[in-house]
Amino acid sequence: EEELMSSLQIANTKLQAEKADLLSKLQRGLAIHKRTTMDLEANTVELQDLQGLQSRAAEDTDNLKKDYASAVELSISRGKKIQLLEKNVETYETQLARANQKMKKME
C-alpha cells in the first residue's frame, strides 16, 4: 500500500510538473500570439497605406497580397499551436485530477 501511495505521489508530482511546464508554454504561446496579432494589425495598417500607393503601381499588388497572406497564415498557425497547448493542459489537468482522486481513495 505504501508503494502504491508512493507511486501515485510520484505520478502526481510528475503530472504537476508537466502541467506547470505546459502552462508556461501556453503563456509563452499566448504572449507570442498577442505580439503576432499586434504585428499583424500594424502590418494591416501599413498594408492599407501601401494599397493606396498600389493604384499607381499595380505590379506591387501581388507581392503585398502574398506578404499579407503569409502574415495571416503565420497568425493562424500560432493560434493552432496555442489551441494544441490548451488541449494538452486540459488533458494533464484531467490526469492530475484522476491521480488526486486515486490518492484520496487510498487515504
Side-chain angles (χ1 to χ4, degrees), residues 18-95:
E18 288 178 23
K19 177 184 174 185
D21 182 52
L22 286 171
L23 286 173
S24 174
K25 288 177 182 177
L26 178 60
Q27 288 172 344
R28 284 194 306 260
L30 287 173
I32 290 169
H33 177 70
K34 286 179 183 178
R35 283 195 309 269
T36 302
T37 300
M38 288 172 42
D39 290 345
L40 183 59
E41 289 171 357
N43 288 340
T44 300
V45 170
E46 183 179 348
L47 181 60
Q48 289 170 344
D49 293 342
L50 290 173
Q51 284 175 339
L53 298 174
Q54 285 178 343
S55 62
R56 295 177 223 125
E59 64 274 2
D60 291 340
T61 301
D62 289 337
N63 291 335
L64 290 170
K65 286 181 180 179
K66 288 176 186 175
D67 289 346
Y68 181 76
S70 293
V72 169
E73 286 178 22
L74 178 63
S75 182
I76 290 169
S77 173
R78 286 183 177 168
K80 287 179 181 179
K81 286 179 184 178
I82 289 169
Q83 287 176 340
L84 178 61
L85 285 172
E86 288 172 339
K87 182 179 176 184
N88 286 341
V89 167
E90 289 175 8
T91 299
Y92 285 113
E93 285 177 341
T94 300
Q95 290 175 352

